[in-house]
Amino acid sequence: MSCIAGPTDYCHQARLATWLTPTGSTPPGSSSSVLPTGASSSSLLQGRPEILAQVHWAVEHEFATHLEDFFVRRTQRYYRDANHGLGALAPVTSSMAKLLNWSSAECVAQRAEYRDFVTLHQQWKKATVVVDG
């Protein structure tokens, strides 16, 4: 497996880009490049193992077409991050926009839809529980 030279353990991060595919799709073989052309081994969220190259993988190999799809089903950031991946919204949107040819209006709409999704699915935390009996 080829690795990216650098001051940190990019080889480990590059492996994560291909191995952390929770949907079960097959990562590239050992003879192919670890990171797709144009993909980055930059971390999505401080202290988390996910890297920007996972956006490329999700779009190109798992057919992710929406931010919600990426955060909820492809990387499970919605479930595993206390802030539901909102801290990585800007870089993920930027990468998906390049890969999917989104307009700036589409980027705004995608970000708003994901924020609305997070807000809606967190409403239960504000609910009042009434126990009869």
Side-chain angles (χ1 to χ4, degrees):
M1 173 179 284
S2 62
C3 296
I4 299 169
T8 59
D9 186 9
Y10 288 110
C11 187
H12 173 71
Q13 290 178 352
R15 284 188 183 109
L16 286 174
T18 58
W19 294 347
L20 291 178
T21 55
T23 58
S25 60
T26 306
S30 59
S31 63
S32 64
S33 173
V34 174
L35 293 176
T37 303
S40 170
S41 62
S42 298
S43 178
L44 284 177
L45 292 167
Q46 183 85 17
R48 297 287 320 156
E50 297 79 24
I51 63 174
L52 204 49
Q54 288 177 271
V55 176
H56 287 255
W57 180 262
V59 170
E60 294 173 1
H61 299 280
E62 298 180 337
F63 308 107
T65 59
H66 295 87
L67 291 172
E68 177 190 332
D69 189 20
F70 176 78
F71 285 110
V72 176
R73 290 173 286 286
R74 308 305 169 183
T75 62
Q76 299 180 359
R77 276 312 83 219
Y78 173 80
Y79 301 107
R80 296 174 186 229
D81 178 53
N83 199 26
H84 309 290
L86 290 171
L89 202 54
V92 172
T93 302
S94 178
S95 290
M96 289 186 81
K98 290 174 189 168
L99 294 165
L100 297 168
N101 297 313
W102 287 349
S103 66
S104 58
E106 180 64 22
C107 290
V108 169
Q110 286 284 334
R111 284 191 296 267
E113 286 175 20
Y114 185 66
R115 284 189 190 107
D116 290 348
F117 173 85
V118 170
T119 301
L120 176 67
H121 288 87
Q122 296 306 307
Q123 290 299 313
W124 65 269
K125 292 179 180 179
K126 298 175 185 174
T128 303
V129 176
V130 177
V131 179
D132 218 14

